[in-house]
Amino acid sequence: MMLPADHPSIATPRVGVLLINLGTPDAPDPASVRRYLAEFLSDPRVVEIPRLIWQPILHGVILTTRPKKSAHAYQQVWMTEGSPLAVHTRDTAAALQRAMGQDAVVDWAMRYGNPSIASRLAAMKAQGCERILLAPLYPQYSAATTATALDAAFAAMAKMRWQPAVRSLPPYHDDPAYIEALRLSITQQMAALDFKPDALLASFHGMPERTLHLGDPYHCHAVKTVRLLQEALSLPVHMSFQSRFGRAKWLEPETEATLTRLVKEGVRNIAVVTPGFSADCLETLEEIGLRAKEVFLAEGGEKFAFLPCLNASPEAITLYQRLVGRELSGWVDQRV
């Protein structure tokens, strides 16, 4: 049917996949880090303290002292192409786009910082994406990660007159494809080491303990991931939580304390993996790859290996193609 000559241009209807990760400053300098932290730590999903109490602390103490320290940490891991998290997430989206071909438009966004979720949803809608799968790349569900990413997407769509139909990627902490991707990645990386690890430590991002009691399934999801990983490997797998902040009681055991304990128990050679992170970032490269290593060696450990995240590896793309293909059922026919 011919459209009227004055009819507005309408893009061909398409299906979109938006990969979402946590966020990063635009540059490894105090000003950029301050802007990023202000957005990140102002999210009530991240800091569950009444705003009237928290905001004076955030702007009066934290944002005047922490940016300089964090900027120094970012400088130690910053890549030529930019922030590691942004580079790896971008590369993952590009690789998944190649794998999926014309079946879907694949894009990526950050919950905090750039590119924003709102900007990428608008761009995808402009490309004709009338159906979009929101895919937060967090294997284990947490309100502070998965939920806030979806919050931001829904808030952006609340301002759209013509909204796309949406679906969201569920947590995949116990998905056989995820466990197999981890097994392959860990096995290949350990085979390339110049030593044999006595044990494997799985370090997850920490959460305040109260989140568990409030009903957040993150801790349970992490425990199940470790159990399944233990079953898939022929190496003892220990578990810990990193990245503590503030004075509240956090999930235990803590990563550096666990490394100290393992040395005292006779572990001299260790490999550390971070299965709660889909892509390497400050928390994996600096906190584990540099600081945790320093602690382990200072306590008497001899060999320490940080095993990178799945990032945009072939194992990761196979995993995401399977997860995404499953959730797009009825929209596209994606077989892996």
Side-chain angles (χ1 to χ4, degrees), residues 19-226:
L19 306 183
I20 304 173
N21 235 317
L22 189 74
T24 178
D26 294 323
D29 58 67
S32 298
V33 172
R34 186 176 295 108
R35 287 193 297 272
Y36 167 69
L37 290 178
E39 181 182 10
F40 174 49
L41 296 177
S42 292
D43 188 340
R45 289 276 200 184
V46 173
V47 180
E48 297 182 275
I49 297 175
R51 188 176 180 86
L52 287 177
I53 298 174
W54 174 242
Q55 285 297 312
I57 298 173
L58 175 61
H59 291 278
V61 179
I62 296 173
L63 293 181
T64 59
T65 59
R66 192 170 178 183
K68 184 177 180 179
K69 181 179 179 180
S70 294
H72 175 69
Y74 273 108
Q75 289 163 14
Q76 296 181 76
V77 300
W78 207 260
M79 303 170 70
T80 303
E81 299 171 85
S83 161
L85 184 64
V87 171
H88 292 308
T89 305
R90 180 203 65 194
D91 290 350
T92 298
L96 184 59
Q97 180 69 83
R98 291 192 295 272
M100 298 192 70
Q102 298 300 310
D103 285 341
V105 173
V106 181
D107 207 337
W108 63 284
M110 293 293 174
R111 171 60 183 91
Y112 313 102
N114 297 304
S116 70
I117 292 173
S119 69
R120 299 326 301 160
L121 282 175
M124 295 177 79
K125 189 67 174 64
Q127 293 178 71
C129 293
E130 296 182 2
R131 304 181 184 197
I132 297 176
L133 173 67
L134 304 172
L137 296 184
Y138 308 115
Q140 298 80 24
Y141 178 98
S142 172
T145 55
T146 312
T148 192
L150 298 179
D151 285 347
F154 297 143
M157 288 188 295
K159 300 176 182 179
M160 292 182 178
R161 177 165 293 278
W162 185 0
Q163 295 178 329
V166 296
R167 294 175 178 175
S168 62
L169 179 68
Y172 49 94
H173 62 287
D174 59 352
D175 194 290
Y178 166 61
I179 301 301
E180 176 61 10
L182 288 178
R183 186 193 70 80
L184 285 172
S185 177
I186 292 169
T187 301
Q188 292 168 9
Q189 291 187 70
M190 289 204 302
L193 297 176
D194 61 359
F195 69 94
K196 183 178 180 180
D198 301 319
L200 176 69
L201 175 63
S203 180
F204 293 82
H205 197 289
M207 293 288 176
E209 187 182 82
R210 68 177 178 275
T211 62
L212 171 63
H213 303 304
L214 289 171
D216 198 305
Y218 178 76
H219 178 267
C220 299
H221 285 185
V223 169
K224 189 170 186 181
T225 294
V226 171

